């Protein structure tokens, strides 16, 4: 490490190095532009057009954005409130849960830890298939669904509740399911981060007068794993904002009844594939991009290394 | 105390088993211990089950003599005669569903007789002919109300045609329209013996009633019952004849005929079998998956070089893993000796075995064959499982009756917090439960004897769990109401487990590869070594990398098919062989499988769209066309003439601005389904109008039953195919005349939506039913609205209620003129042409050919005869519906319902109206919002979207309606059709 730094610092910037770094960068630049940069730019361009997927797009300026902000009642009344409720609970909730479970895992021995990490990580991998199979069975609307069967047998309910049809229940169920599946990559990063902390730091802290496990978390664990915390936060934000499959998978339809579980991504799909308005859908996706960007910046502010690296 | 009783039962069972559990003859299976008999009787008496089944009658007739003599009698001619052109003197009657024919026969000696009926199948139906038989106006036994006269089928050709890749294709089955003379039999008897009837002396009137397809009925033969010799007697009779010395091999694919079109050939990729070529599919076995239901029969022809004794061997495999399967062997239409009535075939995993037919000890049976042609039939029989099936069915039926009794005590919603003492209402509760356990345990033990793994066999798991469930319920019979789910009505309940078990016991799958008639020379085992298997597998694997593609000259047309791949293959084969011949063009039509309709849009955007798409969902053509991707079919001069063969209502969603952009291809609509037995037993009539439905609801609910309304489907959003029924029936137009506003707040609209939600709020129909098909089979919902898919499902996968249910026209709303408006949406799939089709005339020619009466009925027919009953096809071409292979009575209902097809008019904002209507229902039913308020709220959103969309397509500019959006109506379409029908000579 030290050796490398020194050689770069002392060596003069010459042509050889810039060519080789250009060559080494090429795969990344190519992949990044093909898979991320160009689609984003195309989406931004399309958002300024009327495009019905059949005919050639025609330029209409910012009319899509105006319509989105002034005329789209569903977007303003249902989609935005839903998305914010969903994100505020699932984002921080899932984040805290991830950290807590990662910390708990770090306290147990190796074999069991790997096993439980896998168990906790699994739901985020299996996704919508699992939702349809397991959660739709649990919340089935007739008396045979697990949730209904339990409530009926406990005498809490008299008739089966229509979990996935009645707009009152859809959002809470979506939140439960999302929290259950929020132990994703961010969680794995946090496990790794906690395990990487030098044990000597804890010993030093105890010598310096630290007394409780809580102090340990606050003064040693979290500050030592900032990069992982940042990564986890960004992943949590991105995944909550872009998760649209849950409501659709649970209710079996897009849109969800009375738009009760409609998130930005569902709204986007609704316009793109059901109403054939790709331009408008692109505008929605650009708004989504801006929202994610804004929240990610906030996360950077909170967790980024102040020294600047 | 319960425990004591249980132990007593267990001890009794052990005793029974130790005394009489060895023999495998007919008698010993029916024989059983005292405890079992008692339990059996208790269930039978208390359930009010009749004692007039064939098995009961047989016991009653035990001492009766066989009848003497043989009488051939012609039918009484008092109805339509059937004239056979080949045999004009023959007296026969033409019968349709519901017709009956009388026969008068003078019997001299009272006794037991067999009756055989001469008949000729006329319909092209794929289902069996069903008759009922009465003697002097009375049913001789229950089963006589439902007897089968099989239609025999032959393969179109034994020279199997090859597809583009050189694979052999399954030949079509063709019904044999030929007079047959079949002794009446039941598939559900122990073996394939003909049925017996007890006839008194003197004049007897025998009435045969046709219950299904059209049939010609000729003479019947009443013949004294013949005793079938035992094998020893049979062998003695033929001992002096020579034993054959050579070996004759008959490939199973060369069978002569079969009595069910569901029996089909299969190409097994298994080097053990003949024929087999790596990399090419060669048909080599009769598929056991279609050859498994009792009564199904395959007939082989054997050319015997001399009259003599022959041994019989078979190369077979069965997918039933643990238990043997059973077949009866019939030589020249008769069971030669008792033992041949029940031959067991042991399972050998998935392998094919070669086995010589013989007794348990392994001694082969010698069959006597005449010189020359002999027929040899293998008929599936339930064998010793039958007794168990009977016991299980009794328990299942009794559980259903008992549950209804309990429901009468508890009411529809069972209060689980109450301390129930069911015994004080139904004192027999504990006895019933114990009787179930006794009867089922006895059946389990009986079955376990023939299973290698005994009662622990996986295929008996359902029965095992059912017994355990009942034992746990019997611990405390008093609280049974709170645990009713474990007894009946829910998934995993004892009743459902029994139902599944009965089905698995019935099935006797047997795949046959070859048949050998031989003497001392036994056929060699066909089993090849593992090395050969591996090398052949490798050769097959590498053969998949190369295939010959045929190249034809001429125009090319690309057609995408939104159907399963096998059906695409079938369509390709039909087109390859027929299209050129029928139309006289040499165009090469290439079909591709379209797995996702969303791809059409992407294909269009990238400029790779096909010429024609078939099997396309009904809502897509409009969406594509309004954006300029569709071809206006009215520009073809003969469009309206051709369209007149279709239901006018089906065109409504395919129209835009006066043009028609697709042709209807197949239909799917709502129908009323009802269980004849249950509806009759509670004394209800089939409802004609929705008011009738509301009238019968209290009676249904009082009996713990329900009515299934299509709105209770298992999906949160209710689409137009179900919501539009009420809107159309209340005569509500969805939009105002200029198409610029939604019209739901009109009086008709409010009435329709109010009615729709009232069914659930006021009349408390169930809001969600996981599966109507299951509830209907179980009898908890004996009447309801289903679609064509439900019909197919019930027809093909509900054997226990076959003949017990019917379909009727959808209930409607009575209008002022007294007609019942039975409108239902009905368009399923369409054929669509892209605007940039390479050759529109050729494409239109193809569409006309594909949708023509001949091709559509041929396609439907091939689909079913190749893939089985679940592939029923309901064509949109009305003439093709008339030729559909279903029972004529059902066909009439379907045909009449097709006159009542109304599809919602399409606008660019249809999806919003569709969602809105679903949301209105949701708001009223779940949130309790009054219907008018819900409509007002949703209509604002619908109108806003409609305006936005009309603006997008240039109908509204700056808030002003520039040109009216033209809404097509059924009347316009009818007028157009009539106008063009006159022009055409």
């Amino acid at each position: 490490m030290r050796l490398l730094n020194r050689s770069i610092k002392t060596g003069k910037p010459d042509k050889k190095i810039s060519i080789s770094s250009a060559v080494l960068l090429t795969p990344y630049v190519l992949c990044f532009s093909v898979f991320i940069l160009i689609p984003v730019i195309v989406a931004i361009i399309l958002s300024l057009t009327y495009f019905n997927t059949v005919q050639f797009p025609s330029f209409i300026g910012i009319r899509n954005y105006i319509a989105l902000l002034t005329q789209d009642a569903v977007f303003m009344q249902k989609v935005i409130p839903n998305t914010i409720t969903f994100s505020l609970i699932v984002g921080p909730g899932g984040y805290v849960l991830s950290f807590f479970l990662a910390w708990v895992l770090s306290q147990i021995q190796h074999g069991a830890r790997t096993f439980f990490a896998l168990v906790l990580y699994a739901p985020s991998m299996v996704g919508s298939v699992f939702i349809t199979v397991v959660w739709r069975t649990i919340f089935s609307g007739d008396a045979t669904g697990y949730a209904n069967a339990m409530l009926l047998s406990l005498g809490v309910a008299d008739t089966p509740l229509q979990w996935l049809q009645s707009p009152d229940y859809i959002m809470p169920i979506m939140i439960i399911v999302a929290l259950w599946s929020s132990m994703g990559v961010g969680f794995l990063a946090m496990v790794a981060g906690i395990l990487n902390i030098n044990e000597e730091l804890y010993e030093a802290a105890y010598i310096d007068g630290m007394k409780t496990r809580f102090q340990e978390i606050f003064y040693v664990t979290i500050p030592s794993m900032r990069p992982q915390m940042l990564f986890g936060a960004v992943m949590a934000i991105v995944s909550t904002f872009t998760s649209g499959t849950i409501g659709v998978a649970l209710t079996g339809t897009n849109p969800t009844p009375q738009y009760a579980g409609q998130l930005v991504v569902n709204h986007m799909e609704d316009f793109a594939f059901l109403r054939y308005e790709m331009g408008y859908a692109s505008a929605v996706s650009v708004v989504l991009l801006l929202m994610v960007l804004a929240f990610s910046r906030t996360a950077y502010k909170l967790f980024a290394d102040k020294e600047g690296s | 105390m319960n425990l004591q009783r249980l132990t007593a039962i267990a001890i009794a069972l052990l005793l029974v088993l130790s005394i009489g559990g060895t023999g495998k003859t007919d008698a010993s299976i029916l024989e059983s211990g005292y405890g079992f008999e008692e339990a059996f009787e208790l269930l039978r008496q208390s359930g009010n089950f009749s004692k007039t089944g064939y098995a009961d009658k047989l016991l009653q007739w035990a001492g009766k003599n066989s009848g003497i003599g043989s009488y051939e009698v012609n039918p009484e001619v008092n109805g339509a005669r059937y004239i056979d052109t080949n045999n004009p003197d023959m007296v026969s009657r033409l019968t349709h569903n519901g017709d009956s024919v009388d026969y008068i026969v003078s019997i001299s000696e009272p006794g037991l007789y067999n009756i055989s009926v001469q008949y000729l199948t006329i319909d092209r139906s794929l289902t069996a002919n069903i008759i009922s038989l009465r003697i002097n106006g009375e049913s001789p036994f229950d089963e006589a109300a439902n007897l089968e006269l099989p239609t025999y089928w032959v393969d179109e050709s034994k020279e199997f045609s090859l597809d583009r890749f050189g694979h052999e294709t399954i030949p079509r089955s063709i019904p044999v329209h030929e007079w047959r003379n079949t002794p009446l039999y039941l598939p559900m008897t122990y073996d394939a013996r003909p049925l017996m009837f007890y006839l008194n002396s003197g004049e007897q009137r025998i009435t045969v009633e046709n219950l299904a397809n059209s049939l010609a009925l000729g003479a019947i033969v009443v013949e004294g019952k013949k005793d079938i010799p035992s094998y020893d007697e049979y062998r003695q009779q033929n001992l002096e004849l020579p034993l054959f010395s050579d070996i004759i091999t008959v490939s199973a694919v060369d069978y002569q005929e079969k009595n069910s079109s569901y029996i089909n050939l299969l190409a097994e990729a298994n080097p053990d079998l003949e024929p087999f070529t790596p990399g090419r599919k060669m048909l080599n076995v009769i598929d056991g998956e279609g050859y498994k239901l009792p009564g199904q029969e395959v007939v082989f022809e054997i050319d015997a070089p001399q009259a003599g004794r022959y041994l019989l061997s078979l190369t077979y495999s069965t997918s039933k893993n643990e238990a043997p399967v059973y077949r009866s062997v019939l030589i020249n239409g008769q069971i030669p000796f008792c033992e041949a009535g029940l031959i067991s075939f042991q399972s050998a995993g998935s392998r094919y075995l070669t086995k010589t037919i013989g007794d348990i000890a392994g001694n082969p049976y010698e069959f006597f064959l005449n010189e020359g042609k002999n027929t040899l039939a293998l008929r599936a029989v339930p064998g010793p499982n039958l007794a168990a099936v009977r016991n299980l069915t009794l328990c299942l039926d009794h559980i259903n009756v008992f549950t209804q009794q309990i429901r009468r005590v508890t009411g529809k919603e069972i209060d689980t917090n109450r301390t129930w003492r069911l015994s004080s209402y139904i004192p027999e509760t504990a006895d019933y439960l114990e009787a179930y356990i006794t009867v089922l345990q006895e059946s389990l033990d009986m079955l376990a004897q023939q299973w290698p793994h005994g009662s622990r066999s996986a295929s008996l798991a359902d029965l095992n769990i059912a017994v355990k469930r009942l034992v746990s319920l019997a611990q405390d019979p008093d609280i049974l109401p709170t645990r009713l789910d474990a007894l009946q009505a829910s998934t995993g309940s004892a009743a459902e487990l029994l139902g599944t078990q009965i089905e698995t016991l019935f099935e006797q799958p047997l795949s046959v590869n070859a048949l050998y008639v031989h003497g001392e020379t036994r056929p060699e085992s066909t089993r090849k070594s593992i090395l050969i298997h591996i090398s052949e597998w490798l050769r097959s694997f590498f053969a998949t990398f190369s295939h010959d593609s045929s190249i034809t000259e001429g125009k090319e047309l690309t057609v995408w098919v939104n159907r399963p791949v096998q059906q695409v293959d079938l369509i390709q084969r039909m087109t390859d062989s027929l299209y050129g011949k029928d139309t006289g063009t040499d165009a090469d039509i290439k079909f591709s499988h379209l797995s996702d309709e969303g791809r059409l849009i992407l294909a269009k955007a990238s400029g790779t769209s096909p010429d024609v798409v078939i099997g396309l969902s009904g809502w897509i053509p409009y969406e594509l066309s309004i954006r300029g991707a569709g071809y206006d079919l009215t520009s073809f001069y003969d469009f309206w003439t051709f369209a007149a063969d279709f239901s006018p209502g089906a065109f409504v969603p395919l129209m835009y601005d006066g043009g028609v952009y697709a042709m209807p291809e197949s239909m799917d609509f709502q129908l009323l389904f009802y269980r004849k037995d249950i509806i009759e037993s509670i004394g209800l009539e089939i409802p004609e109008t929705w008011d009738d439905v509301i009238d019968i609801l209290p009676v249904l609910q009082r009996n713990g039953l329900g009515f299934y309304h299509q709105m209770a489907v298992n999906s949160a959003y209710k689409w137009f195919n179900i919501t539009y029924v009420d809107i159309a029936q209340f005569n509500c137009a969805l939009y105002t005349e200029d198409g610029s506003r939604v019209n739901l707040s009109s009086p008709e609209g409010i009435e329709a939506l109010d009615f729709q939600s009232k069914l659930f709020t006021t009349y408390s129909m169930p809001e969600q039913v996981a599966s109507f098909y299951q509830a209907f089979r179980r009898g908890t919902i004996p009447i309801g609205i289903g679609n064509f898919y439900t019909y197919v499902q019930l027809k093909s996968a509900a054997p226990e209620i076959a003949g017990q249910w019917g379909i009727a026209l959808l209930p409607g709303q009575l209008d002022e003129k007294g007609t019942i408006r039975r409108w239902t949406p009905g368009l399923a799939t369409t054929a669509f042409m892209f605007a940039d089709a390479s050759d529109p005339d050729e494409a239109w020619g193809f569409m006309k050919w594909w949708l023509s009466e001949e091709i559509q009925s041929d396609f439907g027919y091939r689909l079913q005869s190749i893939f089985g009953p679940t592939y029923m096809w309901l064509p949109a071409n009305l003439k093709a519906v008339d030729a559909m292979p279903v029972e004529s009575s059902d066909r009439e209902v379907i045909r009449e319902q097709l006159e009542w097809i109304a599809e919602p008019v399409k606008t660019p904002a249809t999806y919003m109206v569709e969602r809105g209507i679903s949301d209105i229902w949701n708001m009223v039913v779940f949130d309790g919002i009054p219907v008018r308020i819900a409509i007002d709220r949703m209509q604002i959103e619908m109108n806003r979207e409609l305006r936005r969309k009309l603006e997008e397509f240039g109908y509204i500019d700056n808030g002003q309606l520039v040109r009216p959006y033209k809404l097509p109506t059924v009347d316009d379409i009818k007028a157009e059709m009539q106008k063009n029908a006159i022009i055409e000579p």
Side-chain angles (χ1 to χ4, degrees), chain B residues 255 257-258 263 286 291 296-300 376-378:
Chain B
Y255 69 87
E257 58 183 16
K258 57 192 178 185
I263 302 174
I286 294 172
Y291 182 34
Q296 286 182 331
E297 177 181 302
V298 176
V299 183
F300 296 91
L376 188 151
L378 292 174

Side-chain angles (χ1 to χ4, degrees), chain B residues 7-23:
Chain B
T7 2
I9 294 164
I11 291 169
L13 279 172
L14 277 176
L15 280 174
V16 170
L17 282 180
S18 57
I19 294 163
T22 42

Side-chain angles (χ1 to χ4, degrees), chain A residues 163-213:
Chain A
W163 298 111
L164 304 174
Q165 291 210 42
S166 168
D168 301 339
Y169 302 119
I170 293 171
M171 185 48 91
I173 291 173
M174 280 170 62
I175 289 172
I176 293 171
V177 176
L179 282 177
W180 165 80
S181 62
S182 61
M183 260 43 82
V185 188
F187 161 75
L188 289 187
M190 284 194 221
V191 175
I194 293 176
L195 293 178
N196 266 345
I197 295 168
N198 194 341
E199 284 296 320
E200 288 167 8
L201 282 178
Y202 293 110
E203 284 160 24
Y206 275 109
I207 291 168
D208 287 347
M210 189 170 75
K211 288 193 180 61
T212 61
R213 297 302 294 270

Side-chain angles (χ1 to χ4, degrees), chain B residues 386-586:
Chain B
L386 187 67
V389 167
R390 244 182 237 145
N391 295 344
L392 264 59
T393 316
L394 174 75
C395 287
L396 179 58
D397 290 346
H398 194 275
I399 288 176
N400 285 336
V401 174
F402 183 38
T403 317
Q404 285 197 25
Q405 265 181 28
I406 298 176
R407 287 244 160 85
R408 242 167 263 153
V409 173
T410 60
K412 198 167 171 235
E413 298 299 336
I414 295 167
D415 183 355
T416 43
N417 298 320
R418 181 174 155 183
T419 314
W420 286 99
R421 286 209 180 75
L422 191 63
S423 316
S424 51
Y425 301 99
I426 308 174
E428 304 88 357
T429 305
D431 295 337
Y432 288 163
L433 289 174
E434 270 154 36
Y436 298 149
I437 298 168
T438 316
V439 172
L440 295 179
Q441 189 63 49
E442 168 79 14
S443 319
L444 187 61
D445 294 335
M446 205 159 69
L447 289 166
Q449 286 172 23
Q450 20 152 350
W451 259 260
H453 299 293
S455 61
R456 294 208 330 275
S457 302
S459 46
L460 289 177
D462 286 329
L463 183 53
N464 253 319
I465 300 171
V467 173
K468 287 208 181 95
R469 197 136 297 173
L470 287 166
V471 169
S472 102
L473 287 176
Q475 305 277 330
D476 193 351
D478 269 343
I479 60 159
L480 187 60
T482 60
R483 301 173 67 194
L484 205 53
D485 273 353
L487 182 64
Q488 199 245 11
S490 81
T491 319
S493 64
E496 184 181 311
L497 290 167
L498 290 180
T500 340
Q501 185 72 66
I502 290 171
E503 262 172 49
T504 47
L505 286 176
F506 267 150
E507 290 177 353
Q508 309 289 328
L510 185 74
S511 301
V512 187
N513 168 242
L515 196 78
Y516 313 89
V517 181
H518 58 95
E520 290 301 328
T521 20
R522 301 272 185 110
E524 282 165 33
S525 167
T526 54
R527 189 132 180 83
K528 304 265 185 343
S529 73
I530 183 85
L531 281 175
I532 294 178
H533 272 261
I534 293 172
S535 77
E536 295 293 345
W537 180 81
L538 284 174
R539 281 174 62 191
S540 307
F541 177 69
F542 285 109
T544 56
F545 290 108
S546 63
H547 66 84
D548 333 307
S549 58
S550 56
I551 301 158
T552 41
E553 304 279 312
K555 283 175 284 189
E556 220 184 83
L557 206 62
T558 324
V559 181
W560 285 7
V561 188
N562 184 28
R563 309 200 154 273
V565 181
Q566 305 94 308
Q567 294 187 31
V568 179
D569 288 347
L570 174 67
I571 296 170
Q572 179 77 62
R573 284 199 304 271
M574 277 179 69
T575 313
D576 287 352
S577 61
L578 297 173
Y579 181 66
K581 240 187 282 171
D582 290 353
T583 58
T585 54
D586 60 349

Side-chain angles (χ1 to χ4, degrees), chain A residues 30-52:
Chain A
L30 265 179
C31 288
F32 182 76
S33 22
V34 169
F35 293 112
I36 295 174
L37 197 62
I38 296 176
V40 169
I41 294 172
V42 170
I44 294 173
I45 296 172
L46 280 180
S47 74
L48 302 174
T49 62
Y50 165 75
F51 181 35
N52 63 18

Side-chain angles (χ1 to χ4, degrees), chain B residues 509-822:
Chain B
L510 185 74
S511 301
V512 187
N513 168 242
L515 196 78
Y516 313 89
V517 181
H518 58 95
E520 290 301 328
T521 20
R522 301 272 185 110
E524 282 165 33
S525 167
T526 54
R527 189 132 180 83
K528 304 265 185 343
S529 73
I530 183 85
L531 281 175
I532 294 178
H533 272 261
I534 293 172
S535 77
E536 295 293 345
W537 180 81
L538 284 174
R539 281 174 62 191
S540 307
F541 177 69
F542 285 109
T544 56
F545 290 108
S546 63
H547 66 84
D548 333 307
S549 58
S550 56
I551 301 158
T552 41
E553 304 279 312
K555 283 175 284 189
E556 220 184 83
L557 206 62
T558 324
V559 181
W560 285 7
V561 188
N562 184 28
R563 309 200 154 273
V565 181
Q566 305 94 308
Q567 294 187 31
V568 179
D569 288 347
L570 174 67
I571 296 170
Q572 179 77 62
R573 284 199 304 271
M574 277 179 69
T575 313
D576 287 352
S577 61
L578 297 173
Y579 181 66
K581 240 187 282 171
D582 290 353
T583 58
T585 54
D586 60 349
D588 182 31
I589 300 181
K590 283 220 172 91
F591 294 88
S592 307
H593 166 63
L594 171 68
S595 56
D596 175 9
E597 293 175 329
R599 281 197 198 151
L600 280 181
I601 281 287
L602 302 177
K604 177 66 198 162
S606 61
T608 53
S609 52
D611 298 306
V612 175
V613 186
I614 58 176
L616 188 63
S617 299
W619 61 278
I620 296 181
Y622 175 89
E623 300 293 346
L624 289 173
S625 312
I626 194 169
R627 292 169 178 87
Y631 195 95
D632 183 3
L633 301 178
T634 51
S635 60
F636 297 105
Y637 75 97
D638 56 348
F639 173 78
W640 284 111
T641 329
F642 182 63
D645 286 350
F646 297 78
S647 185
F651 286 94
V652 169
L654 307 176
M655 290 180 72
Y656 157 64
D657 221 9
V660 180
Y661 289 88
M663 284 298 294
E665 185 192 29
S666 71
M667 309 293 276
D668 178 21
F669 48 74
Q670 313 288 333
L671 279 172
L672 181 75
F673 293 78
Y674 61 95
R675 284 278 297 268
K676 290 176 186 164
D677 48 347
I678 298 177
I679 294 301
E680 207 171 286
S681 79
I682 53 176
L684 291 179
E685 302 243 318
I686 306 306
E688 290 284 326
T689 65
W690 284 104
D691 290 337
D692 294 348
V693 172
I694 290 168
D695 286 344
I696 66 167
L697 279 178
V699 185
L700 285 171
Q701 283 159 359
R702 207 156 46 230
N703 286 285
L705 306 169
F707 183 96
Y708 174 78
H709 188 271
Q710 71 273 17
M711 292 288 276
V713 288
N714 207 359
S715 151
Y717 250 93
K718 318 295 175 192
W719 304 117
F720 259 146
N721 60 339
I722 49 184
T723 56
Y724 191 65
V725 170
D726 293 307
I727 294 171
Q729 292 190 351
F730 275 97
N731 209 5
C732 166
L734 279 178
Y735 307 94
T736 52
E737 222 156 279
D738 60 359
S740 68
R741 303 189 71 82
V742 176
N743 193 31
L744 286 174
S745 55
S746 64
E748 298 89 27
I750 292 171
E751 206 183 353
L753 295 177
D754 186 39
F755 176 79
Q756 198 167 63
S757 45
K758 244 194 202 155
L759 287 174
F760 297 89
T761 52
T762 313
Y763 302 111
S764 59
M765 285 188 177
E767 289 135 8
Q768 196 184 14
V769 175
S771 164
F772 172 48
Y773 156 74
Q774 289 291 354
F776 189 75
R777 284 176 69 183
R778 228 179 282 144
T780 49
I781 299 184
I783 181 165
I785 311 295
N787 57 7
F788 188 65
Y789 178 69
T790 317
Y791 177 77
V792 174
Q793 233 181 350
L794 288 171
K795 260 276 154 307
S796 58
E800 77 279 12
I801 54 166
Q804 299 275 35
W805 58 276
I807 55 172
L809 294 176
L810 184 69
Q813 300 288 350
L814 203 65
D815 68 6
E816 316 81 57
K817 285 179 228 149
T819 33
I820 302 171
R821 303 170 51 84
R822 300 177 186 274

